[in-house]
Amino acid sequence: MRLRSTALFLMLLMSAARAAPAPQQVDIPLASGVLHAQLYKPEGEGPFPTVIALHGCGGLGSHSDSVLPRYRDWAERLLKAGNAVLLPDSYGSRELGPQCRVKEMHVKARRERVTDIAASRAWLMKQGWVARDRVSLIGWANGASALLWAVRPQSAARDTSPDFRAAIAFYPDCRISAGLGWSARVPTLVLIGADDDVSSPPACRQMVDGARGRSALTRIVVYPGAYHDFDRANTPLHAAAGSDAAAPEHGHLGTDAVARANAQKEVSQWLAR
């Protein structure tokens, strides 16, 4: 009986794996080079709301997987809700590996990664299946920091295409932005754990509070007891390959799971605005 149950469980896992949609690689032109990206697109002609998803310092994929589980899970969740999802690979496109512990980063959040965001948006504006007035941003850690730079009024595109509809930043490094008097030109949501010891929850709160009254709608949600990388897909430890943070103690897993579930609701509601 136990063997039969195990076999059934394995068959279900294999069936789920086969059912998971595979992304399509697309190449986006840059001023110098090409930005490789992975695209998840609903079936049909559209137009579809589209999310540009920005990986953290661990990179988008690995040697064996073009999209790491956390980003794949989010992409599939967004896809089921009717969104197309574009995941630009800022590091792999420049033949770089993970940058989490690199002292001298050659791809900076406020420079190359903002360029990648602008190039991704410009490419999407030319695609017939894109709802051009419903392109949003979502980013994690270093990608979220890039997002904060990209939505500043100073970074607005000079073309006549619609601007981003919304932006969602998971645990960005807000310290520089808070000190510069950051504001956003599009509705921006910041999600961070209260016990995040990699990013700075107080700096993010200061940044968002300081933007009120001179910015588009901004909001911060701080999850009690949650740590950095809290939204990582259902894995026992955060220190798996490509993670942006060290492994938490086992006691953190419950609070991270609650924060992850609440964040999924926040993301859905923010994108539906």
Side-chain angles (χ1 to χ4, degrees):
M1 185 66 179
R2 182 178 297 177
L3 288 175
R4 185 179 302 172
S5 299
T6 302
L8 178 60
F9 177 71
L10 291 174
M11 288 176 63
L12 289 172
L13 284 179
M14 292 173 66
S15 176
R18 286 195 298 269
Q24 169 192 356
Q25 180 171 311
V26 298
D27 292 333
I28 298 170
L30 296 172
S32 57
V34 175
L35 176 65
H36 304 304
Q38 299 294 325
L39 173 66
Y40 291 81
K41 189 170 78 68
E43 294 183 3
E45 297 182 0
F48 305 111
T50 302
V51 178
I52 300 173
L54 307 162
H55 62 75
C57 68
L60 177 61
S62 64
H63 293 298
S64 59
D65 200 346
S66 61
V67 180
L68 291 173
R70 181 244 303 276
Y71 308 123
R72 184 177 65 245
D73 290 344
W74 270 108
E76 292 175 3
R77 179 177 293 276
L78 292 167
L79 185 65
K80 289 178 181 178
N83 301 279
V85 185
L86 181 71
L87 298 105
D89 187 353
S90 291
Y91 300 154
S93 300
R94 296 174 173 90
E95 299 184 354
L96 297 172
Q99 300 291 292
C100 297
R101 294 173 178 81
V102 175
K103 292 183 179 180
E104 185 64 30
M105 295 187 69
H106 298 291
V107 176
K108 296 187 180 295
R110 58 180 170 178
R111 192 175 61 197
E112 286 84 3
R113 300 211 66 186
V114 170
T115 297
D116 292 352
I117 292 170
S120 297
R121 174 185 170 277
W123 183 83
L124 287 171
M125 290 297 114
K126 298 176 182 177
Q127 309 306 312
W129 48 264
V130 173
R132 298 167 77 244
D133 61 342
R134 297 192 64 189
V135 175
S136 299
L137 292 168
I138 185 170
W140 294 265
N142 185 269
S145 298
L147 180 158
L148 294 180
W149 289 100
V151 299
R152 297 170 74 227
Q154 299 92 322
S155 299
R158 297 181 180 179
D159 59 36
T160 58
S161 301
D163 205 345
F164 296 114
R165 184 180 182 90
I168 302 168
F170 278 91
Y171 35 84
D173 187 342
C174 303
R175 286 168 286 198
I176 295 177
S177 293
L180 292 176
W182 175 88
S183 65
R185 66 181 192 277
V186 300
T188 301
L189 173 67
V190 176
L191 304 174
I192 193 167
D195 292 340
D196 190 323
D197 55 358
V198 178
S199 298
S200 172
C204 288
R205 190 177 291 281
Q206 177 187 345
M207 180 192 76
V208 171
D209 288 346
R212 292 197 175 101
R214 55 181 179 80
S215 171
L217 175 65
T218 57
R219 181 168 177 254
I220 182 170
V221 179
V222 181
Y223 296 108
Y227 286 72
H228 192 76
D229 214 23
F230 66 82
D231 70 306
R232 189 172 178 81
N234 300 312
T235 52
L237 292 175
H238 291 210
S243 175
D244 291 332
E249 299 295 331
H250 289 286
H252 302 174
L253 296 176
T255 52
D256 279 4
V258 171
R260 180 168 59 243
N262 289 331
Q264 290 169 354
K265 297 176 184 177
E266 291 282 355
V267 168
S268 177
Q269 293 172 358
W270 199 258
L271 291 179
R273 297 180 62 86

